[in-house]
Amino acid sequence: MGRIFRDIAIGILAIAVLAAVPHLIPGKAFQDFVIRCSSMALFATSLNLLVGYTGLSSFGHGLFFGLGTYSFALLMQRTGISLPMAFIATLLINAVTAVAVGAICIRLRLIYFAFVTLAMQMLMHSIIISWVGLTGGDQGLQGGIPRRVVAGIDLGNQYNLYIFAAVVLVIGLLIMRHIVNTSFGTSLRMIRDNEARASFLGIVVWRVKLTVFVLSAVFASVGGIVMSLFVSGAYPELINWPISGDAIFAIVMGGVGSFLGPTVGTMILLLLNDVVTRQTEYYGLALGIIILAFALGLRRGLLDFITERLGGRPAGGIS
Amino acid sequence: MKPTEPTRRTVLTGAAAVLAAPHIAGAQAKAVRIGMQATFSGPLAQSGITHRNAIEMEVDRINAAGGLAGRPIEMVYRDSKSQPQEAARVARELVNSDGCEMLLDAESSAGSFAVQEVVRDLGVLCIHSSSETSSLTADPKYRVASAFRSSRQGIHDAIVGGAYAAKVADARKLTKWATCSPDYAYGRDTTAQYLEYLKHFKPDIEVISQAWPKLGQPDFTEVITKLIQARPQAMYTALYGGDLTAFINQGNIYALFSAMQVFSVNLADYTALTAIKNLPPGIATGNRYVVTCPDTVANRDWGEAYRKRFNEYPTNWSWQSSTGMRFYEGAAKKAGSADPKKLAEALRGLTIECPFGVDGTVTMRAEDQTVVGYAIGWGTTLTKPPYVADVKPADWGTIFELETEWKKRNGFI
Amino acid sequence: MDLDALLGCVTSSSCLVTQTTSGLIVGMLLFMVAAGLTLIFGVLKIVNFAHGTFYMLGAYIAYSAFMFTGSYVLGVLAGGLGMAIFGVIFERVLISRVYGANVLMQLLICYAVVLICDDLVKIVWGPDFYAMGMPPAFQVPPLFIAGGVVPPFYIMLIVVALAIGGALSLLLGLTRIGKIIRAAAHNPNMVSALGINTTLLYSLVFAVGGMLAGLAGGLAAPVRSLTPGMGFSILIESFIVTVIGGMGSIGGALIAAVVLGLIRSFGTIGFPLFTEGLMYIAMIIILVFKPSGLFGKEIV
């Protein structure tokens, strides 16, 4: 129990600090950064539930991030329901989709699992591109998201959206943290380390895998909702393969074995992106060299590297 | 800009005033920062680079002549990597962190809509110089008071292309048509509109086959063979850039271009014309940018000056960004100020001298804040430079008439 | 959806011939790229996400060599040879450091190489797109076979790709080195225990894989546009092919590549707006019924 209270306290502290920062540092770039960070960190951490904790390497997790942006933006544009209702409905849509997709995917193993999830994502991408009447096709959903007011707070205002994103991020991370610390989380790690033994010990492997698949999809869609609010719409790029790549790079660079690894990785990637694109148009060259230095120098994510240096053993991890 | 929330405002009033002050209180000679974002990486890097080339030419010229109302222009370039969410972020960053007072948005269609939403949120002055999607400015749903467009438009191309094709079709009795356009909004919309106006001018044509290759598809063979199977007399294509080059090279070995009369709206751009090694003669093409349309000294000079400086001919993107900068220049002259609000006011209905205007001028039409009067015409290809012959500029009277009808039909006016 | 058109096509010999050859040509070039990918995976258990980059660089090198020598054959050979060398360097300098590491770490390194190479191409060749142009020997009118249209250049490509595929099978099936490679794919420790230099072997596999992709890039250069980043769409399709065929199975890659080519060529007639979606559906269905692809070994 103590751990939960400690985590919640840290979360509240983080929100308080974030809420204060804009009053100290003027300029809105920091707020934009935090909003994007919140979206991508939720997405990357949700992917790490699969990769780091269960040993399921998905290449197509962007399906749920993108579906989150589209379902939320469409619900806001096409129906009259309020933002919180659209939020909940989006989570439901993603959960249902994840049950169907997961039921097919978790039958497959290792690299085949990775590629079938990617195929699922690209299939959804093809559908969104083709269904022009509903989604606007490759142009994306245009015209912005209306009625961004929750309980009198207008999320169209940047500072409000910033606070909203920070709160959603902290709550999302707290819940995921709780999930991996329960006995369910222990089952995940047992499956990762030795599926046959886990099964022998009475864990119904497929049920656990499907559950974590659905849970991670739901959290990915929360990241999608934040992104949808940030860009005020939804675009096919948000469900295309590179978005899955971004999440994978974030968790690999931040550390698959540490709960906050994906969040740290997201921050590294976004910072690199923002700083490097300002300096040079040879963004790929610069980023590529930095990634190589990272991958070959540390050979593991940053947080995992630090944990090991401090003599600890990362809690999660894949080998 | 939307008002910030009261708490923060009260805390920051003093600080903000100091920080925001340089723009207002600084000397008149302080540079005007204009943010420009485009694709500078990936397969479409060429678009951003040739946009920027043209802008640099204009900035040097304008600054040498005293800048915008006495203030020199300073450009800030950013790469959005062809991603709408990056486009939105970069646009916000240009305004919020880099102190840009206005934008020149060189994003292609999806990106331009993402930028449009940022412009709506921030109220910043912006000229779109790349998006050709008509609805961006035509549809009141998407329109924003501070957003303008200096690029050509799909609907104009469709009307002109339809009228030209109808004449050729009449003379040569081409009634069976096929189309082959990229499978995304731009390709689908321009193709539908083109066919609509082709039928408007020549009602007895029949479309017997339509192919929709993917954007950036490496191999068009199955599309080409499908078209050959259908045996049309004429074909329209909205493919462009590397896709068009590949399509023509692959079509050549199937002798596609001798089997049917091809109408290619995007071929007359030097990037494509010079990249294709065996350009088939006699393809009908719309002008993207060629130094012979409009066939004026001003246009030739500009094209040659560009070629001298960058060692290649300008692109369609180049003239559009050049025109955008010229509008900022003209508006500053008219307003006698570089203040974005006054510039926006001055831009509405502004007519400026411009090498790309069919009569030497172009106008920022007040009602939908988009450029009209630019040279737009069709000609046929030659195997050697100047690559395109007999480019006939279209009549804007017809364009206006049919465009208004189109807007009414779509409920835009 | 246009099922009538599809039915009309499969019942007309001219359409059948034309679309089948067009499916074959798309499939055979894809096979050359996918064969290297599946070979590398089979032996080294490395998923080479940078394989599309090999294809791109091969095409650019072939283009430059063609411009320099005027010979298409030399251009293609330069593309193949250049990528064989590049493959070895890539394996020695980067990939050899992550053998046995998680697939995601390999993905990260390959992604970095893709980013770097795309920009290097932009720096060396510029951001413009290029086309090599048809070699004069092939600037001839297409042939008509049973009413179908078939360009001689594509007949040559199909023959060359088949010949290379055949040579590869012979190499793997009959030669000593081929047997070692197959043994290594089966049990790397055993091969190493027998005192065979696995370092050399691994480099060799990357050289062959790189060469195949480079040759494919060079062969396709006369008809495809060269742009930075052009390797990507090839990469995705090659992965679909290797996964459907079963990762590690060269015969499976051949069949899957041809099937994919045919899905594309007939799909464009029957389902012109959903051809891409069709490929993913095919992949999902096959994996559901054959979880290791058509000819892949079961993973346990």
Side-chain angles (χ1 to χ4, degrees), chain B residues 40 43 46 49 183 212 214 217-219 221-222 225-226 229 241-242 245-246 249-250 253-254 271 275 277-278 312, chain C residues 14-15 18-19 22 122 127-129 131-134 139 149 151 154 223-225 228 233 264-265 268 273 276:
Chain B
F40 289 107
Q46 199 181 16
I49 291 167
D183 182 18
W212 303 102
K214 288 270 169 261
Q217 182 171 325
D219 205 302
T221 307
E222 78 268 11
T225 53
K226 172 181 167 170
Q229 291 303 320
T245 315
N249 280 322
Q250 292 167 21
I253 60 173
Y254 278 96
T271 50
K277 287 292 164 356
N278 309 300
E312 59 181 12
Chain C
S14 68
C15 186
T18 313
Q19 292 306 105
S22 104
K122 209 169 93 176
D128 311 15
F129 48 85
M132 185 194 271
M134 191 52 61
Q139 290 181 12
V149 195
Y154 282 176
V223 287
R224 292 186 181 174
S225 288
S233 52
R264 288 257 307 260
S265 67
T268 188
L273 291 176
E276 192 145 286

Side-chain angles (χ1 to χ4, degrees), chain C residues 34-286:
Chain C
L37 197 59
T38 207
L39 181 70
I40 290 170
F41 180 82
V43 178
L44 306 173
K45 300 290 173 284
I46 288 277
V47 186
N48 181 19
F49 296 92
H51 213 64
T53 299
F54 289 16
Y55 168 84
M56 171 183 75
L57 291 176
Y60 270 97
I61 290 174
Y63 170 82
S64 287
F66 174 75
M67 285 304 172
F68 188 68
T69 64
S71 158
Y72 174 57
V73 175
L74 287 182
V76 173
L77 291 179
L81 185 65
M83 282 307 98
I85 296 169
F86 184 84
V88 173
I89 297 172
F90 178 64
E91 191 271 339
R92 276 294 92 206
V93 176
L94 298 175
I95 292 298
S96 62
R97 294 167 198 270
V98 287
Y99 283 135
N102 180 262
V103 64
L104 297 181
M105 194 51 99
Q106 299 165 6
L107 175 63
L108 193 67
I109 284 182
C110 292
Y111 175 67
V113 170
V114 171
L115 287 177
I116 291 171
C117 289
D118 279 356
D119 263 4
L120 284 181
V121 163
K122 209 169 93 176
I123 291 168
V124 175
W125 281 279
D128 311 15
F129 48 85
Y130 293 107
M132 185 194 271
M134 191 52 61
F138 291 101
Q139 290 181 12
V140 288
L143 305 174
F144 289 87
I145 301 171
V149 195
V150 186
F153 180 68
Y154 282 176
I155 297 181
M156 185 278 290
L157 283 192
I158 294 175
V159 170
V160 169
L162 276 177
I164 291 171
L168 189 63
S169 323
L170 286 181
L171 175 91
L172 289 178
L174 298 180
T175 63
R176 187 181 123 80
I177 187 79
K179 284 176 187 153
I180 296 173
I181 288 176
R182 280 185 300 149
H186 197 73
N187 188 340
N189 296 336
M190 182 64 86
V191 171
S192 162
L194 287 173
I196 289 160
N197 184 342
T198 46
T199 311
L200 197 64
L201 184 72
Y202 290 177
S203 294
L204 181 72
V205 168
F206 256 91
V208 173
M211 183 190 72
L212 288 171
L215 286 175
L219 283 171
V223 287
R224 292 186 181 174
S225 288
L226 277 56
T227 60
M230 67 184 271
F232 175 68
S233 52
I234 287 289
L235 177 72
I236 289 277
E237 292 190 356
S238 315
F239 271 127
I240 298 179
V241 163
T242 45
V243 171
I244 289 180
M247 301 212 43
S249 163
I250 289 178
L254 176 63
I255 291 170
V258 170
V259 167
L260 204 71
L262 293 176
I263 288 184
R264 288 257 307 260
S265 67
F266 287 97
T268 188
I269 289 183
F271 311 85
L273 291 176
F274 201 59
T275 323
E276 192 145 286
L278 224 51
M279 295 195 307
Y280 296 117
I281 291 177
M283 176 169 164
I284 292 166
I285 291 176
I286 287 173

